[in-house]
Amino acid sequence: MPAKTGKQYVERLKRAKSSVYIHGEKVDDVTVHPAFRNVIRSMAALYDRQYEKPEKMLYRSPTTGQPVGMTFIQPTTIEELIARREATQEWARLSAGMMGRSPDYLNAEVMAMGVANDLFAEDDPMFAENAKNYYEYARENDISLTHTLIHPQMNRAKALHEQKDADVPLHLVERRKDGIIVSGIRLLATQGGITDEILVFPSTVKKSTSSEDPYALAFAIPNNTPGVKFICREAFDYGRSAWDHPLAARFEEGDAIVSFENVFVPWERVFVCGNSSICNRTFRETNAVIHMSHQVVAKNIVKTEFLLGVTLCLIEAIGIGEFQHVKDKGTEIMLVLETMKSHLYRAEHNAKRDRWGTMTPDFAALDAARNWYPRIYPRLSEIIRILGASGLMAIPTEADFHNEEIGDIVRRAMQGATVDGYERVQLFRLAWDLTMSAFGARQTHYEYYFFGDPVRMGMAYFDGYEKEPYKQFVREFLCTAKSVFIPSDSKS
Ligand SMILES: Cc1cc2nc3c(=O)[nH]c(=O)nc-3n(C[C@H](O)[C@H](O)[C@H](O)COP(=O)(O)OP(=O)(O)OC[C@H]3O[C@@H](n4cnc5c(N)ncnc54)[C@H](O)[C@@H]3O)c2cc1C
């Protein structure tokens, strides 16, 4: 089957009837429910873009010759790597980088794990074959995916098997001839309930010991598998117009707790079963983390371009562009953008084929970028907040402009240096939704946490960094310093 259209994406969700719960109720049809229908429309627009720009978004399947999504490609040259990144950025532009889980993020993951599958064979060659087949299945059917990697917080001071209720974290219940039975809870599936399937994988950061083997699982199943429930957090799309909530009314992806109650997973969908050692190495040894980081950095460049654009429009709108600290804050965002672009350039132009023949970006560049952006993103949001000041709270709704009694008042009161009141409020509502609304606050929280805890990622980064050359540099420098020392008594 070729790459899917937006209509096909929506039809599949309608047919699937997965068990999705929100605001205390079971959802009958996510495609028409107010909490999901707008983001589903935005996702559909991404799939439609594949056919609006096929030269950028599609390539010929190596197995069927059908046009399939470019973001599934196994790049074998730098040109193909760049082509995949351009497809990612094409999608990112449609949401201004607000949809962290546009399908390309996990398409890169299944590609990497499907190709570099030897690790899964350590337990049984069947698992490697499963990963390979799943990549092909996902690519050929343009499967949309969510994923869930972490266990509920409960008590982080204790291992999973030491928890008061050790059956809460997702665990293996039974191995059967035809598959496995699993039960328990996983967090936190962004877009949970509005994709075709769910990937259950280990954490990219947290490492487990063999005592946690019953929890060490990796598999992929359809969202509508019996026993799977998506319990979604309250929606930040309040059903208001896109003028009032320019981002939340279109790109509210949602985040879900996922419950598994005696769920059957057939063997052909299992990649790791009860092996912490394999789980600990899954993302790194398959290079999945590198290909996912490539998508993230490409997407975040688009997002930073948008933040910069909003900041510059806001500065101009209220005439604050000549103040020194305002320029300096604009510069901060520009520097982030240029630095991210440099990381991406280095990653792509230093790319090398890995042992599976995949053109793999330079991880040193991407690893620095993926560790740095979560730390700097809150500052970008803060800059918009500081520069917007009262303008981010003096935000009448569109309806206020159309009210006979107050319409003219708000139009006059809200006028800016270069824009009228109506245009200024529209811009400031965008800046507010980007940084301060529930949607905006989630964006900051998302960028900080989605790839794992930045503190522990930073610790792993420090431990893995090649430090010796720098220490040696200083040691040699100190040696040369010694040779010019003249004791004071030798001067007389
Ligand atoms: C908006 C959003 C969307 C997300 N989407 C997804 C998704 O789609 N799929 C998915 O799988 N996950 C998703 N996540 C979850 C994300 O992977 C986790 O938030 C992240 O891995 C951190 O884990 P945690 O939240 O369990 O934090 P915890 O591990 O519970 O940490 C809580 C705090 O305690 C500290 N801490 C805990 N243990 C240690 C330790 N051993 N050493 C040092 N400090 C420690 C941490 O630094 C942190 O400050 C999402 C998160 C957010 C916020």
Side-chain angles (χ1 to χ4, degrees):
M1 187 189 152
K4 71 183 172 201
T5 61
K7 190 162 172 264
Q8 287 167 326
Y9 161 71
V10 175
E11 279 166 1
R12 275 196 213 168
L13 290 183
K14 224 180 223 323
R15 273 201 308 273
K17 287 210 164 297
S18 307
S19 293
V20 179
Y21 296 77
I22 193 163
H23 308 151
E25 288 173 357
K26 186 167 183 189
V27 178
D28 180 46
D29 178 354
V30 285
T31 68
V32 295
H33 190 283
F36 306 101
R37 66 183 172 214
N38 290 329
V39 68
I40 287 175
R41 204 173 294 145
S42 298
M43 279 287 284
L46 300 185
Y47 285 112
D48 281 340
R49 182 52 57 101
Q50 298 195 121
Y51 286 97
E52 289 155 5
K53 293 201 174 174
E55 68 296 342
K56 196 176 222 180
M57 302 304 297
L58 300 174
Y59 76 109
R60 294 256 154 233
S61 158
T63 49
T64 62
Q66 298 264 25
V68 291
M70 178 64 85
T71 61
F72 278 110
I73 197 171
Q74 178 197 1
T76 54
T77 61
I78 289 188
E79 290 69 31
E80 286 178 352
L81 194 62
I82 291 174
R84 181 181 71 174
R85 185 256 296 160
E86 285 176 349
T88 276
Q89 292 190 320
E90 179 70 30
W91 267 352
R93 273 189 204 97
L94 289 180
S95 71
M98 297 300 134
M99 289 173 72
R101 297 306 159 88
S102 51
D104 41 336
Y105 181 62
L106 294 177
N107 293 355
E109 177 180 338
V110 290
M111 180 283 293
M113 291 186 182
V115 171
N117 53 43
D118 324 7
L119 174 69
F120 303 127
E122 280 183 19
D123 255 357
D124 188 321
M126 162 182 79
F127 293 137
E129 197 58 24
N130 293 348
K132 175 171 164 279
N133 292 342
Y134 190 74
Y135 164 45
E136 189 150 338
Y137 162 78
R139 183 188 69 212
E140 296 303 315
N141 294 281
D142 213 352
I143 296 296
S144 59
L145 292 160
T146 180
H147 76 163
T148 173
L149 312 183
I150 62 162
H151 298 285
Q153 287 182 310
M154 299 178 78
N155 182 348
R156 286 285 189 247
K158 291 190 184 298
L160 295 171
H161 64 286
E162 295 166 346
Q163 299 289 328
K164 239 187 297 177
D165 184 349
D167 283 344
V168 172
L170 180 73
H171 57 279
L172 184 65
V173 174
E174 189 189 343
R175 284 174 196 258
R176 290 186 358 191
K177 232 169 124 191
D178 48 353
I180 57 174
I181 305 287
V182 298
S183 272
I185 307 288
R186 276 291 183 103
L187 310 176
L188 175 73
T190 296
Q191 288 205 10
I194 62 163
T195 60
D196 299 319
E197 301 216 352
I198 180 166
L199 300 175
V200 174
F201 268 91
S203 162
T204 54
V205 186
K206 295 174 193 170
K207 302 291 176 236
S208 308
T209 58
S210 56
S211 56
E212 294 180 312
D213 276 351
Y215 305 92
L217 299 163
F219 59 85
I221 48 174
N223 281 359
N224 63 1
T225 302
V228 176
K229 289 191 176 83
F230 294 89
I231 303 164
C232 305
R233 67 157 163 77
E234 77 174 277
F236 301 150
D237 175 358
Y238 303 124
R240 302 275 293 283
S241 75
W243 197 96
D244 284 348
H245 291 189
L247 301 174
R250 286 186 279 179
F251 310 120
E252 154 61 333
E253 294 182 290
D255 303 293
I257 297 164
V258 192
S259 163
F260 300 79
E261 288 163 279
N262 288 315
V263 171
F264 171 68
V265 185
W267 279 121
E268 58 270 22
R269 290 303 196 90
V270 179
F271 315 120
V272 184
C273 182
N275 189 322
S276 298
S277 162
I278 296 178
C279 278
N280 290 343
R281 291 175 287 139
T282 291
F283 279 93
R284 196 61 194 89
E285 287 194 16
T286 59
N287 287 340
V289 73
I290 305 182
H291 293 283
M292 294 163 86
S293 300
H294 186 226
Q295 185 276 346
V296 166
V297 173
K299 185 266 291 175
N300 281 344
I301 285 173
V302 174
K303 191 166 188 168
T304 311
E305 286 172 344
F306 189 72
L307 266 95
L308 177 60
V310 169
T311 307
L312 295 175
C313 291
L314 184 152
I315 289 173
E316 194 177 81
I318 54 170
I320 56 172
E322 288 311 310
F323 302 119
Q324 218 175 15
H325 85 95
V326 173
K327 286 187 189 190
D328 192 55
K329 290 186 171 67
T331 300
E332 276 188 61
I333 304 182
M334 291 166 185
L335 295 178
V336 171
L337 176 59
E338 293 306 316
T339 307
M340 289 292 280
K341 284 185 188 169
S342 300
H343 282 304
L344 184 68
Y345 185 89
R346 176 179 156 208
E348 289 176 349
H349 289 83
N350 284 353
K352 302 250 163 4
R353 275 212 190 93
D354 67 12
R355 64 194 169 90
W356 300 280
T358 309
M359 185 54 73
T360 303
D362 175 0
F363 190 44
L366 295 179
D367 204 15
R370 82 176 178 124
N371 271 277
W372 178 62
Y373 200 77
R375 296 162 187 240
I376 200 71
Y377 187 84
R379 173 66 181 155
L380 305 186
S381 172
E382 183 187 33
I383 287 173
I384 293 181
R385 207 167 46 71
I386 292 170
L387 298 184
S390 65
L392 296 173
M393 285 295 115
I395 43 171
T397 61
E398 191 177 22
D400 294 315
F401 286 91
H402 298 303
N403 181 291
E404 260 181 36
E405 290 169 40
I406 59 169
D408 279 345
I409 301 175
V410 287
R411 203 174 283 275
R412 281 186 61 215
M414 294 294 107
Q415 64 186 291
T418 56
V419 283
D420 69 18
Y422 184 80
E423 283 173 277
R424 190 176 87 78
V425 173
Q426 188 178 26
L427 172 66
F428 274 67
R429 289 198 71 92
L430 172 62
W432 160 79
D433 213 11
L434 184 57
T435 56
M436 295 180 71
S437 68
F439 178 92
R442 180 202 174 266
Q443 286 291 321
T444 307
H445 203 47
Y446 178 87
E447 289 303 343
Y448 189 77
Y449 268 124
F450 82 94
F451 224 139
D453 170 17
V455 172
R456 274 167 286 168
M457 278 169 60
M459 284 160 61
Y461 188 89
F462 184 87
D463 290 342
Y465 199 83
E466 179 51 67
K467 299 184 247 337
E468 195 47 36
Y470 307 104
K471 291 195 281 184
Q472 188 56 25
F473 181 19
V474 172
R475 282 186 211 114
E476 284 168 13
F477 183 85
L478 289 175
C479 284
T480 60
K482 249 188 238 160
S483 68
V484 293
F485 176 70
I486 305 163
S488 55
D489 54 354
S490 67
K491 281 185 201 154
S492 52

